[in-house]
Amino acid sequence: MPAVTFASEKLAQPLTVQGEPGQRLIDVVRDQVAAGKLPMAWRCGQGTCGACVVRLLHEGQPRPVQLGGIERNVLIRAGLMAPSAPRTLPDSPELPRLACHIVLEREIFVYF
């Protein structure tokens, strides 16, 4: 089971929880927000609002990641990515991502 560690200046200390392989990160976020353990914003959970922007750190970075059209468009609309940015980018902690587009595969650190 992949560990998910959330870190933010909004948290007194990092929060680590267990996720399920194949589970979407937004589902872990929803559970922790509902339990009152995570002060993180999310609204639609469908990848269109852009409220769940995160930055990720995990084993294997940097590696190429291809952003889907919806995620890329939301990040451009939010001013987090240039319209000229390619669809395939280095997966690094500097790359903004949407939690609703992340599928858990391995241990991951989430910064928000």
Side-chain angles (χ1 to χ4, degrees):
M1 294 193 357
V4 180
T5 301
F6 295 95
S8 171
E9 60 188 30
K10 299 174 186 177
L11 292 169
Q13 62 187 24
L15 171 67
T16 300
V17 297
Q18 296 300 312
E20 297 290 332
Q23 183 179 23
R24 291 185 318 149
L25 179 57
I26 195 66
D27 296 327
V28 176
V29 169
R30 284 179 181 157
D31 291 346
Q32 297 309 306
V33 169
K37 296 179 180 179
L38 191 63
M40 187 174 163
W42 67 274
R43 286 193 300 261
C44 73
Q46 304 301 313
T48 59
C49 74
C52 63
V53 173
V54 295
R55 303 206 187 259
L56 307 172
L57 177 64
H58 58 83
E59 184 180 290
Q61 285 178 322
R63 65 177 187 185
V65 63
Q66 184 163 350
L67 300 180
I70 293 172
E71 182 177 22
R72 183 176 177 279
N73 289 342
V74 170
L75 293 171
I76 290 170
R77 189 177 65 231
L80 298 171
M81 182 174 289
S84 60
R87 286 193 182 269
T88 301
L89 295 162
D91 181 12
S92 72
E94 292 79 32
L95 180 65
R97 298 293 310 273
L98 300 178
C100 52
H101 285 266
I102 306 299
V103 175
L104 299 179
E105 298 171 4
R106 62 183 65 90
E107 181 177 353
I108 191 168
F109 291 87
V110 180
Y111 301 94
F112 66 98

